[in-house]
Amino acid sequence: MAANAIEIRGLTKIYGGGRNSPEKRALQGIDLDIPQGSVFGLLGPNGAGKSTLINILAGLVIKTAGRVTIWGFDQDHNPRQSRASIGVMPQELNLDPFFTPREALEVQAGLYGVPRRQRRSDEILRMVGLEDKAGAYARTLSGGMRRRLLLGKALVHHPHVLVLDEPTAGVDIELRQMLWENVRKLNQQGMTIILTTHYLEEAEEMCDEIAIINLGQLVARDSTVNLLRRLDSRTMILHPDGPVGRLPEGEGLDVTQRGDGALVIRYRSAETPAEAVLAAVRAAGICIRDVKTEQADLQDVFLELTRRR
Ligand code: ADP
Ligand code: MG
């Protein structure tokens, strides 16, 4: 069994609670293991606690309770080693406006104690496509360029684990592709990747494993494949070969007719074989001109898991 890049136990974060700020329970006892070498997706609706969790990993937010181990180093007992093992590209575009990209990378490398001869600012600038902007002030960079620089900053100390918090929220297609190419390349080189994203297709495509959090609690944690398998709901869309007298009926079938005359039949494949659906259609005297089926995707799993409050 592969070792874990990250181990989280009973992680709890309560913001505020002082005289002027009401208490906000952002994380409520999260237990989570993230295997080495994976591309791991952390999903959840806005306000679920994703950034709080990530910022605790990054050492930017102080946890209220619980244990965090990064690359085998307990965050409380070995803060330096655990911090050196992880690089974080934050959600906020927080850059010093007076540094150029090259300076920003050098300063970051200095903060992490990377010796001068081990620094590779030029390589990183090339990788994130900022070699032309190496000497430009950060305040003159576009939003997309700032995001690339933040990715570069997360990489200066050669971390084992790279964390990206909503890296593609509101970025153009070109930058999104560049980010995913880099993520794939780094993962192939052995880096463990953790990312949060709003785009479920993206998680479906990129992530081996997924955790879903809602209201500060873990509601699912599985391989992407298993998570998708969990929902066996199917939708069959039938175009009848003429007007429909009565709708098909049958146990476990949810049948509606669309404005264009097509019948939309929802069923669970584990309970109702497709043949039984078709038999019900024939029994209603309907001839089928065309048929299409749709499977549940991550969007459905996500909605089902985060719907209950
Ligand atoms: P996500 O990244 O999943 O959208 P966050 O971790 O940013 O969620 O926020 C989780 C919850 O904690 C939200 O209700 C948010 O309003 C609250 N929260 C986040 N940061 C702070 C803070 N600095 N002070 C008080 N509440 C906060
Ligand atoms: Mg967030």
Short mmCIF file of all heavy atoms in Angstrom, two decimals, residues 99-150:
data_model
loop_
_atom_site.label_atom_id
_atom_site.label_comp_id
_atom_site.label_asym_id
_atom_site.label_seq_id
_atom_site.Cartn_x
_atom_site.Cartn_y
_atom_site.Cartn_z
N PHE A 99 7.55 43.72 -7.01
CA PHE A 99 8.52 42.72 -7.45
C PHE A 99 8.25 42.31 -8.88
O PHE A 99 7.10 42.21 -9.30
CB PHE A 99 8.46 41.46 -6.57
CG PHE A 99 9.07 41.64 -5.22
CD1 PHE A 99 8.52 40.99 -4.12
CD2 PHE A 99 10.18 42.44 -5.02
CE1 PHE A 99 9.08 41.14 -2.85
CE2 PHE A 99 10.74 42.60 -3.76
CZ PHE A 99 10.19 41.94 -2.67
N THR A 100 9.31 42.05 -9.61
CA THR A 100 9.16 41.44 -10.93
C THR A 100 8.99 39.93 -10.71
O THR A 100 9.32 39.42 -9.63
CB THR A 100 10.42 41.67 -11.78
OG1 THR A 100 11.50 40.92 -11.20
CG2 THR A 100 10.79 43.14 -11.84
N PRO A 101 8.49 39.21 -11.72
CA PRO A 101 8.38 37.76 -11.55
C PRO A 101 9.68 37.11 -11.10
O PRO A 101 9.67 36.27 -10.20
CB PRO A 101 7.94 37.29 -12.94
CG PRO A 101 7.11 38.42 -13.44
CD PRO A 101 7.82 39.66 -12.95
N ARG A 102 10.82 37.50 -11.69
CA ARG A 102 12.06 36.84 -11.29
C ARG A 102 12.39 37.15 -9.83
O ARG A 102 12.75 36.26 -9.06
CB ARG A 102 13.23 37.27 -12.18
CG ARG A 102 14.52 36.53 -11.78
CD ARG A 102 15.74 36.85 -12.64
NE ARG A 102 15.74 36.11 -13.89
CZ ARG A 102 15.59 36.67 -15.09
NH1 ARG A 102 15.44 37.98 -15.18
NH2 ARG A 102 15.60 35.95 -16.17
N GLU A 103 12.19 38.42 -9.43
CA GLU A 103 12.45 38.78 -8.03
C GLU A 103 11.51 38.02 -7.09
O GLU A 103 11.93 37.55 -6.04
CB GLU A 103 12.26 40.29 -7.83
CG GLU A 103 13.39 41.13 -8.40
CD GLU A 103 13.03 42.61 -8.54
OE1 GLU A 103 11.84 42.97 -8.32
OE2 GLU A 103 13.92 43.40 -8.84
N ALA A 104 10.24 37.93 -7.51
CA ALA A 104 9.27 37.24 -6.65
C ALA A 104 9.70 35.80 -6.40
O ALA A 104 9.59 35.29 -5.28
CB ALA A 104 7.88 37.29 -7.29
N LEU A 105 10.20 35.14 -7.45
CA LEU A 105 10.64 33.75 -7.29
C LEU A 105 11.88 33.67 -6.41
O LEU A 105 12.00 32.78 -5.57
CB LEU A 105 10.92 33.13 -8.66
CG LEU A 105 9.72 32.94 -9.59
CD1 LEU A 105 10.14 32.28 -10.89
CD2 LEU A 105 8.62 32.13 -8.92
N GLU A 106 12.80 34.63 -6.60
CA GLU A 106 14.03 34.63 -5.80
C GLU A 106 13.72 34.87 -4.32
O GLU A 106 14.28 34.22 -3.43
CB GLU A 106 15.01 35.70 -6.32
CG GLU A 106 15.65 35.34 -7.66
CD GLU A 106 16.61 34.15 -7.54
OE1 GLU A 106 17.35 34.06 -6.55
OE2 GLU A 106 16.60 33.30 -8.46
N VAL A 107 12.81 35.82 -4.06
CA VAL A 107 12.44 36.13 -2.68
C VAL A 107 11.80 34.90 -2.02
O VAL A 107 12.12 34.53 -0.90
CB VAL A 107 11.49 37.34 -2.62
CG1 VAL A 107 10.85 37.48 -1.24
CG2 VAL A 107 12.23 38.62 -3.00
N GLN A 108 10.91 34.27 -2.78
CA GLN A 108 10.23 33.08 -2.27
C GLN A 108 11.26 31.98 -1.96
O GLN A 108 11.20 31.32 -0.92
CB GLN A 108 9.21 32.59 -3.31
CG GLN A 108 8.40 31.40 -2.87
CD GLN A 108 7.20 31.79 -2.01
OE1 GLN A 108 7.06 32.94 -1.63
NE2 GLN A 108 6.36 30.83 -1.71
N ALA A 109 12.20 31.79 -2.89
CA ALA A 109 13.24 30.77 -2.68
C ALA A 109 14.04 31.10 -1.43
O ALA A 109 14.39 30.22 -0.63
CB ALA A 109 14.15 30.69 -3.90
N GLY A 110 14.29 32.40 -1.23
CA GLY A 110 15.02 32.83 -0.03
C GLY A 110 14.25 32.49 1.24
O GLY A 110 14.80 31.98 2.21
N LEU A 111 12.94 32.75 1.20
CA LEU A 111 12.09 32.46 2.35
C LEU A 111 12.14 30.99 2.72
O LEU A 111 12.06 30.62 3.89
CB LEU A 111 10.63 32.84 2.05
CG LEU A 111 10.28 34.32 2.09
CD1 LEU A 111 8.83 34.52 1.65
CD2 LEU A 111 10.49 34.86 3.51
N TYR A 112 12.25 30.15 1.71
CA TYR A 112 12.27 28.71 1.96
C TYR A 112 13.69 28.18 2.12
O TYR A 112 13.91 26.98 2.20
CB TYR A 112 11.56 27.96 0.82
CG TYR A 112 10.07 27.92 1.01
CD1 TYR A 112 9.26 28.92 0.48
CD2 TYR A 112 9.47 26.90 1.74
CE1 TYR A 112 7.89 28.90 0.68
CE2 TYR A 112 8.11 26.87 1.94
CZ TYR A 112 7.32 27.87 1.40
OH TYR A 112 5.97 27.84 1.60
N GLY A 113 14.67 29.09 2.13
CA GLY A 113 16.04 28.67 2.37
C GLY A 113 16.65 27.82 1.27
O GLY A 113 17.50 26.97 1.53
N VAL A 114 16.19 28.06 0.03
CA VAL A 114 16.78 27.31 -1.09
C VAL A 114 18.12 27.96 -1.44
O VAL A 114 18.16 29.15 -1.74
CB VAL A 114 15.86 27.35 -2.34
CG1 VAL A 114 16.47 26.57 -3.49
CG2 VAL A 114 14.47 26.84 -1.99
N PRO A 115 19.24 27.20 -1.38
CA PRO A 115 20.54 27.78 -1.69
C PRO A 115 20.57 28.30 -3.13
O PRO A 115 19.91 27.73 -4.01
CB PRO A 115 21.52 26.60 -1.54
CG PRO A 115 20.77 25.53 -0.85
CD PRO A 115 19.32 25.78 -1.05
N ARG A 116 21.34 29.37 -3.35
CA ARG A 116 21.36 30.04 -4.64
C ARG A 116 21.60 29.08 -5.82
O ARG A 116 20.91 29.16 -6.83
CB ARG A 116 22.44 31.12 -4.63
CG ARG A 116 21.95 32.44 -5.14
CD ARG A 116 22.90 33.57 -4.77
NE ARG A 116 22.37 34.37 -3.66
CZ ARG A 116 21.35 35.22 -3.79
NH1 ARG A 116 20.75 35.37 -4.96
NH2 ARG A 116 20.92 35.90 -2.76
N ARG A 117 22.54 28.17 -5.66
CA ARG A 117 22.86 27.31 -6.81
C ARG A 117 21.77 26.27 -7.09
O ARG A 117 21.76 25.64 -8.13
CB ARG A 117 24.23 26.66 -6.64
CG ARG A 117 24.31 25.69 -5.51
CD ARG A 117 25.74 25.36 -5.08
NE ARG A 117 25.79 25.18 -3.64
CZ ARG A 117 25.22 24.16 -3.01
NH1 ARG A 117 24.59 23.23 -3.68
NH2 ARG A 117 25.30 24.06 -1.70
N GLN A 118 20.87 26.10 -6.12
CA GLN A 118 19.76 25.15 -6.37
C GLN A 118 18.53 25.86 -6.90
O GLN A 118 17.50 25.23 -7.14
CB GLN A 118 19.40 24.41 -5.08
CG GLN A 118 20.33 23.25 -4.79
CD GLN A 118 20.03 22.63 -3.44
OE1 GLN A 118 18.88 22.60 -3.00
NE2 GLN A 118 21.07 22.15 -2.77
N ARG A 119 18.62 27.17 -7.03
CA ARG A 119 17.44 27.89 -7.51
C ARG A 119 17.32 27.73 -9.02
O ARG A 119 18.31 27.57 -9.72
CB ARG A 119 17.56 29.39 -7.15
CG ARG A 119 17.52 29.57 -5.66
CD ARG A 119 17.49 31.02 -5.28
NE ARG A 119 17.74 31.13 -3.83
CZ ARG A 119 17.90 32.27 -3.20
NH1 ARG A 119 17.85 33.41 -3.86
NH2 ARG A 119 18.11 32.28 -1.89
N ARG A 120 16.10 27.76 -9.50
CA ARG A 120 15.91 27.57 -10.94
C ARG A 120 14.80 28.48 -11.42
O ARG A 120 13.84 28.05 -12.04
CB ARG A 120 15.61 26.12 -11.26
CG ARG A 120 15.15 25.31 -10.05
CD ARG A 120 14.40 24.10 -10.37
NE ARG A 120 13.20 24.08 -9.54
CZ ARG A 120 12.19 23.23 -9.69
NH1 ARG A 120 12.21 22.36 -10.67
NH2 ARG A 120 11.16 23.28 -8.89
N SER A 121 14.98 29.76 -11.10
CA SER A 121 13.95 30.74 -11.44
C SER A 121 13.68 30.77 -12.94
O SER A 121 12.53 30.85 -13.36
CB SER A 121 14.37 32.13 -10.96
OG SER A 121 14.51 32.12 -9.56
N ASP A 122 14.76 30.71 -13.75
CA ASP A 122 14.55 30.81 -15.21
C ASP A 122 13.77 29.62 -15.74
O ASP A 122 12.88 29.78 -16.58
CB ASP A 122 15.90 30.93 -15.93
CG ASP A 122 16.51 32.30 -15.71
OD1 ASP A 122 15.73 33.28 -15.70
OD2 ASP A 122 17.74 32.40 -15.52
N GLU A 123 14.10 28.44 -15.21
CA GLU A 123 13.39 27.23 -15.63
C GLU A 123 11.90 27.35 -15.28
O GLU A 123 11.02 27.01 -16.09
CB GLU A 123 14.02 26.04 -14.91
CG GLU A 123 13.47 24.70 -15.30
CD GLU A 123 13.95 23.60 -14.35
OE1 GLU A 123 15.09 23.71 -13.83
OE2 GLU A 123 13.18 22.66 -14.10
N ILE A 124 11.63 27.86 -14.08
CA ILE A 124 10.23 27.98 -13.64
C ILE A 124 9.50 29.03 -14.48
O ILE A 124 8.37 28.83 -14.90
CB ILE A 124 10.17 28.32 -12.13
CG1 ILE A 124 10.63 27.10 -11.32
CG2 ILE A 124 8.77 28.73 -11.73
CD1 ILE A 124 10.72 27.34 -9.83
N LEU A 125 10.19 30.15 -14.76
CA LEU A 125 9.56 31.19 -15.58
C LEU A 125 9.20 30.64 -16.96
O LEU A 125 8.14 30.94 -17.50
CB LEU A 125 10.50 32.40 -15.72
CG LEU A 125 10.66 33.26 -14.46
CD1 LEU A 125 11.81 34.25 -14.62
CD2 LEU A 125 9.35 33.99 -14.15
N ARG A 126 10.11 29.82 -17.51
CA ARG A 126 9.83 29.21 -18.81
C ARG A 126 8.63 28.26 -18.72
O ARG A 126 7.73 28.29 -19.54
CB ARG A 126 11.07 28.42 -19.27
CG ARG A 126 11.51 28.78 -20.66
CD ARG A 126 12.68 28.00 -21.21
NE ARG A 126 13.38 27.11 -20.32
CZ ARG A 126 14.49 27.43 -19.64
NH1 ARG A 126 15.00 28.64 -19.73
NH2 ARG A 126 15.09 26.54 -18.87
N MET A 127 8.64 27.47 -17.66
CA MET A 127 7.59 26.48 -17.49
C MET A 127 6.20 27.13 -17.43
O MET A 127 5.24 26.61 -18.00
CB MET A 127 7.86 25.71 -16.19
CG MET A 127 6.76 24.76 -15.82
SD MET A 127 7.25 23.86 -14.35
CE MET A 127 5.75 22.94 -14.10
N VAL A 128 6.10 28.26 -16.75
CA VAL A 128 4.78 28.89 -16.62
C VAL A 128 4.55 29.96 -17.70
O VAL A 128 3.58 30.70 -17.65
CB VAL A 128 4.57 29.50 -15.21
CG1 VAL A 128 4.65 28.42 -14.15
CG2 VAL A 128 5.56 30.61 -14.93
N GLY A 129 5.48 30.01 -18.66
CA GLY A 129 5.28 30.91 -19.80
C GLY A 129 5.42 32.39 -19.46
O GLY A 129 4.73 33.23 -20.02
N LEU A 130 6.33 32.71 -18.53
CA LEU A 130 6.52 34.12 -18.15
C LEU A 130 7.93 34.61 -18.46
O LEU A 130 8.35 35.64 -17.94
CB LEU A 130 6.25 34.30 -16.65
CG LEU A 130 4.79 34.35 -16.21
CD1 LEU A 130 4.72 34.51 -14.69
CD2 LEU A 130 4.03 35.50 -16.89
N GLU A 131 8.68 33.87 -19.33
CA GLU A 131 10.05 34.28 -19.56
C GLU A 131 10.14 35.69 -20.16
O GLU A 131 11.05 36.44 -19.85
CB GLU A 131 10.82 33.25 -20.40
CG GLU A 131 10.33 33.04 -21.82
CD GLU A 131 9.30 31.93 -21.93
OE1 GLU A 131 8.27 32.03 -21.23
OE2 GLU A 131 9.50 31.00 -22.72
N ASP A 132 9.13 36.07 -20.95
CA ASP A 132 9.12 37.42 -21.54
C ASP A 132 8.85 38.49 -20.50
O ASP A 132 9.15 39.67 -20.72
CB ASP A 132 8.01 37.53 -22.59
CG ASP A 132 8.24 36.61 -23.77
OD1 ASP A 132 9.37 36.09 -23.88
OD2 ASP A 132 7.29 36.40 -24.54
N LYS A 133 8.24 38.10 -19.40
CA LYS A 133 7.82 39.07 -18.39
C LYS A 133 8.71 39.03 -17.16
O LYS A 133 8.35 39.60 -16.12
CB LYS A 133 6.37 38.77 -17.97
CG LYS A 133 5.37 38.94 -19.08
CD LYS A 133 5.07 40.42 -19.26
CE LYS A 133 4.15 40.62 -20.45
NZ LYS A 133 3.92 42.05 -20.70
N ALA A 134 9.85 38.34 -17.27
CA ALA A 134 10.71 38.11 -16.10
C ALA A 134 11.04 39.41 -15.36
O ALA A 134 11.17 39.42 -14.15
CB ALA A 134 11.99 37.41 -16.53
N GLY A 135 11.16 40.52 -16.12
CA GLY A 135 11.59 41.77 -15.50
C GLY A 135 10.48 42.81 -15.37
O GLY A 135 10.76 43.97 -15.04
N ALA A 136 9.24 42.42 -15.62
CA ALA A 136 8.13 43.39 -15.55
C ALA A 136 7.59 43.46 -14.13
O ALA A 136 7.59 42.45 -13.41
CB ALA A 136 7.03 42.97 -16.51
N TYR A 137 7.12 44.63 -13.72
CA TYR A 137 6.54 44.72 -12.38
C TYR A 137 5.25 43.91 -12.30
O TYR A 137 4.46 43.89 -13.25
CB TYR A 137 6.24 46.17 -12.00
CG TYR A 137 7.48 46.92 -11.64
CD1 TYR A 137 7.88 48.04 -12.35
CD2 TYR A 137 8.27 46.48 -10.56
CE1 TYR A 137 9.04 48.72 -12.02
CE2 TYR A 137 9.44 47.16 -10.23
CZ TYR A 137 9.82 48.27 -10.96
OH TYR A 137 10.96 48.92 -10.63
N ALA A 138 5.05 43.28 -11.17
CA ALA A 138 3.87 42.41 -11.01
C ALA A 138 2.59 43.18 -11.25
O ALA A 138 1.63 42.64 -11.78
CB ALA A 138 3.86 41.79 -9.61
N ARG A 139 2.59 44.49 -10.89
CA ARG A 139 1.33 45.23 -11.05
C ARG A 139 0.97 45.45 -12.52
O ARG A 139 -0.16 45.80 -12.82
CB ARG A 139 1.39 46.56 -10.29
CG ARG A 139 2.40 47.55 -10.80
CD ARG A 139 2.39 48.81 -9.95
NE ARG A 139 3.72 49.33 -9.72
CZ ARG A 139 4.38 50.07 -10.59
NH1 ARG A 139 3.83 50.39 -11.75
NH2 ARG A 139 5.60 50.49 -10.32
N THR A 140 1.93 45.22 -13.42
CA THR A 140 1.62 45.35 -14.85
C THR A 140 1.19 44.01 -15.46
O THR A 140 0.90 43.95 -16.64
CB THR A 140 2.84 45.88 -15.64
OG1 THR A 140 3.85 44.86 -15.63
CG2 THR A 140 3.40 47.15 -15.05
N LEU A 141 1.17 42.96 -14.68
CA LEU A 141 0.80 41.64 -15.21
C LEU A 141 -0.72 41.48 -15.23
O LEU A 141 -1.41 41.96 -14.35
CB LEU A 141 1.39 40.52 -14.34
CG LEU A 141 2.91 40.49 -14.17
CD1 LEU A 141 3.31 39.33 -13.26
CD2 LEU A 141 3.62 40.37 -15.51
N SER A 142 -1.20 40.76 -16.23
CA SER A 142 -2.64 40.46 -16.29
C SER A 142 -2.99 39.43 -15.22
O SER A 142 -2.10 38.81 -14.62
CB SER A 142 -2.98 39.88 -17.66
OG SER A 142 -2.43 38.58 -17.78
N GLY A 143 -4.28 39.26 -15.00
CA GLY A 143 -4.73 38.29 -14.00
C GLY A 143 -4.19 36.90 -14.27
O GLY A 143 -3.73 36.20 -13.37
N GLY A 144 -4.22 36.50 -15.55
CA GLY A 144 -3.72 35.18 -15.91
C GLY A 144 -2.24 35.04 -15.63
O GLY A 144 -1.78 34.00 -15.14
N MET A 145 -1.47 36.10 -15.92
CA MET A 145 -0.02 36.04 -15.67
C MET A 145 0.27 35.96 -14.18
O MET A 145 1.20 35.28 -13.75
CB MET A 145 0.65 37.28 -16.26
CG MET A 145 0.65 37.31 -17.77
SD MET A 145 1.26 38.91 -18.35
CE MET A 145 0.98 38.73 -20.10
N ARG A 146 -0.54 36.67 -13.38
CA ARG A 146 -0.34 36.60 -11.93
C ARG A 146 -0.57 35.19 -11.42
O ARG A 146 0.14 34.70 -10.55
CB ARG A 146 -1.29 37.55 -11.21
CG ARG A 146 -0.90 38.99 -11.42
CD ARG A 146 -1.91 39.93 -10.82
NE ARG A 146 -1.74 41.23 -11.46
CZ ARG A 146 -1.97 42.38 -10.87
NH1 ARG A 146 -2.43 42.41 -9.64
NH2 ARG A 146 -1.77 43.51 -11.51
N ARG A 147 -1.59 34.56 -11.99
CA ARG A 147 -1.88 33.20 -11.57
C ARG A 147 -0.71 32.27 -11.91
O ARG A 147 -0.33 31.41 -11.13
CB ARG A 147 -3.15 32.71 -12.27
CG ARG A 147 -4.07 31.97 -11.37
CD ARG A 147 -5.42 31.83 -12.00
NE ARG A 147 -6.38 32.78 -11.47
CZ ARG A 147 -6.94 32.66 -10.27
NH1 ARG A 147 -6.66 31.66 -9.49
NH2 ARG A 147 -7.79 33.57 -9.84
N ARG A 148 -0.13 32.48 -13.09
CA ARG A 148 1.02 31.65 -13.47
C ARG A 148 2.19 31.88 -12.54
O ARG A 148 2.93 30.96 -12.19
CB ARG A 148 1.48 32.01 -14.88
CG ARG A 148 0.44 31.73 -15.92
CD ARG A 148 1.07 31.96 -17.25
NE ARG A 148 0.10 32.48 -18.18
CZ ARG A 148 0.35 32.61 -19.46
NH1 ARG A 148 1.54 32.29 -19.93
NH2 ARG A 148 -0.57 33.07 -20.26
N LEU A 149 2.36 33.15 -12.15
CA LEU A 149 3.47 33.46 -11.25
C LEU A 149 3.23 32.79 -9.89
O LEU A 149 4.18 32.29 -9.26
CB LEU A 149 3.60 34.98 -11.10
CG LEU A 149 4.70 35.49 -10.18
CD1 LEU A 149 6.06 34.88 -10.56
CD2 LEU A 149 4.79 37.02 -10.23
N LEU A 150 1.98 32.76 -9.46
CA LEU A 150 1.67 32.09 -8.19
C LEU A 150 1.99 30.60 -8.26
O LEU A 150 2.47 30.01 -7.29
CB LEU A 150 0.20 32.29 -7.82
CG LEU A 150 -0.16 33.69 -7.34
CD1 LEU A 150 -1.68 33.83 -7.19
CD2 LEU A 150 0.52 34.00 -6.01
#
